[in-house]
Amino acid sequence: WGRLHPPPWFQKWFQVADIAQEQLGISIEVIDLVSILPWDRETVCTSVSKTGRCIITHEAPITCGFGAELQAAITTDCFFDLDAPPARVCGLDTPFPYIHEPFYMPTKWKLLQAVKATMNAWLELENILLTHSKSRCLLIWVLECILHSFTSRQ
């Protein structure tokens, strides 16, 4: 689509990318799949492998939406490259409310919240595991497995 003239429905994703860059210092790649079948699996996997993170958004309900298929494919193909679980920002699991459309649709603020949560995923996991004494051994084991997988790939 190009950066200069994105479609109106696509502009909020660029706004989120700009806000994240300005306020959080986070660079975001925005990918428009254009179609859901076939979808550009190679471009998505290349981006996820490079960034280590992924946020999937669409306007359909979160349950049984195409984002679930994307998330499954990303988790399968890019599991060892992920630094955080793929997140989904979608419509609610309710009938589409025409009057309350702004509350139903993914907004730039919901997307920005997902960006922050995705960037802090490792910190949250560490805090959860360290609060339980039995989980400390698990955390050490998980970190050792991760380090081993990185060193064995190189």
Side-chain angles (χ1 to χ4, degrees):
W1 290 104
R3 182 82 165 143
L4 297 176
H5 300 289
W9 51 267
F10 202 61
Q11 290 177 355
K12 64 180 150 188
W13 314 151
F14 284 123
Q15 291 172 350
V16 170
D18 291 339
I19 292 170
Q21 181 67 45
E22 292 169 8
Q23 295 181 2
L24 306 173
I26 299 169
S27 177
I28 296 177
E29 292 185 3
V30 178
I31 299 172
D32 180 12
L33 292 181
V34 181
S35 70
I36 60 173
L37 197 60
W39 60 278
D40 194 353
R41 191 179 202 116
E42 183 179 340
T43 299
V44 171
C45 289
T46 301
S47 178
V48 170
S49 295
K50 184 171 82 172
T51 62
R53 292 171 171 80
C54 179
I55 299 172
I56 301 161
T57 183
H58 57 76
E59 297 171 347
I62 194 167
T63 302
C64 299
F66 184 69
E69 178 63 30
L70 286 174
Q71 189 173 22
I74 289 166
T75 304
T76 301
D77 295 351
C78 308
F79 183 77
F80 291 107
D81 296 324
L82 288 169
D83 293 332
R88 288 187 290 164
V89 179
C90 307
L92 304 174
D93 284 332
T94 63
F96 188 81
Y98 291 105
I99 295 174
H100 302 293
E101 182 178 343
F103 301 109
Y104 177 87
M105 301 294 251
T107 64
K108 64 182 176 183
W109 306 115
K110 290 178 186 177
L111 285 166
L112 196 58
Q113 185 179 9
V115 168
K116 292 176 185 177
T118 302
M119 294 304 293
N120 294 326
W122 274 107
L123 296 174
E124 291 176 18
L125 175 64
E126 185 179 1
N127 288 336
I128 290 169
L129 292 176
L130 288 178
T131 56
H132 303 288
S133 60
K134 292 180 181 178
S135 299
R136 288 185 185 154
C137 294
L138 176 63
L139 174 63
I140 293 168
W141 179 77
V142 168
L143 292 176
E144 286 176 358
C145 290
I146 292 168
L147 289 174
H148 177 69
S149 70
F150 283 126
T151 55
S152 64
R153 284 192 295 178
Q154 296 174 352

